[in-house]
């Protein structure tokens, strides 16, 4: 089986500004056709003020071709006054792995993600839920909550 990721928790009394991608990804299956992938971790970031990211990943590793299964799905949760990101927020499942859930909550201002928010599942696996709650506008480049072979894409702003 692939190696599993740990969890990441950041709790700030001010702002959180990440200058690199934060990831808690499961490893790919090693070995035979029945090898399963590693479990994804969970990322939870809370801040009193703002959260600014360049990308977040909590993805299930790639299961082995054949009968290999995907590991346990991860999740990404962000809660702050405002949330902004220049890169993707990604909980996609690898081959035969389910997509994880994404929850973004900005309780005073905007939620703006310039990259994709992807919770799609791999082959033969379901996608995760994407929930966005914002006190003001929501602007997300792409939403992908479904199986990767049949992506649902919604571009633009939602108020």
């Amino acid at each position: 089986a692939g190696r599993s990721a740990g969890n990441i928790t950041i709790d700030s009394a001010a702002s959180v500004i990440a200058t690199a991608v934060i990831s808690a990804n499961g490893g790919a299956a090693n070995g035979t056709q029945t090898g399963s992938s590693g479990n994804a971790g969970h990322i939870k970031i809370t801040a009193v003020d703002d959260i600014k990211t360049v990308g977040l990943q909590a993805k299930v590793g790639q299961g082995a071709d054949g009968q290999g299964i995907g590991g346990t799905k991860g999740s990404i949760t962000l809660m702050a006054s405002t949330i902004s990101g220049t890169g993707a927020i990604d909980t996609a499942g690898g081959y035969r792995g389910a997509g994880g859930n994404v929850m973004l909550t900005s309780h005073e201002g905007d939620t703006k993600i310039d990259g994709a928010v992807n919770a799609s599942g791999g082959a033969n696996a379901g996608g995760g839920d994407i929930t966005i709650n914002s006190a003001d506008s929501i602007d997300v480049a792409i939403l992908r909550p479904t199986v990767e072979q049949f992506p649902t894409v919604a571009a633009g702003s939602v108020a």
Side-chain angles (χ1 to χ4, degrees), residues 70-124:
T72 303
K73 65 184 180 180
S75 66
I76 296 175
T77 302
L78 305 179
M79 294 181 286
S81 292
T82 63
I83 297 171
S84 62
T86 57
I89 295 177
D90 195 352
T91 59
Y95 179 70
R96 294 186 182 226
N101 297 329
V102 175
M103 177 175 243
L104 310 177
T105 303
S106 55
H107 50 83
E108 289 184 19
D110 299 335
T111 299
K112 184 175 186 336
I113 306 298
D114 293 334
V117 178
N118 184 8
S120 61
N124 302 315

Side-chain angles (χ1 to χ4, degrees), residues 5-30:
N7 299 321
I8 298 170
T9 302
I10 300 171
D11 190 10
S12 174
S15 295
V16 174
I17 301 172
T19 58
V21 174
I22 297 172
S23 62
N25 296 329
N30 11 347

Side-chain angles (χ1 to χ4, degrees), residues 2-6 24-29 37-41 57-62 72:
R3 296 191 183 267
S4 294
N25 296 329
S37 67
N39 300 330
Q57 299 177 342
K59 298 167 35 172
V60 172
Q62 189 79 5
T72 303

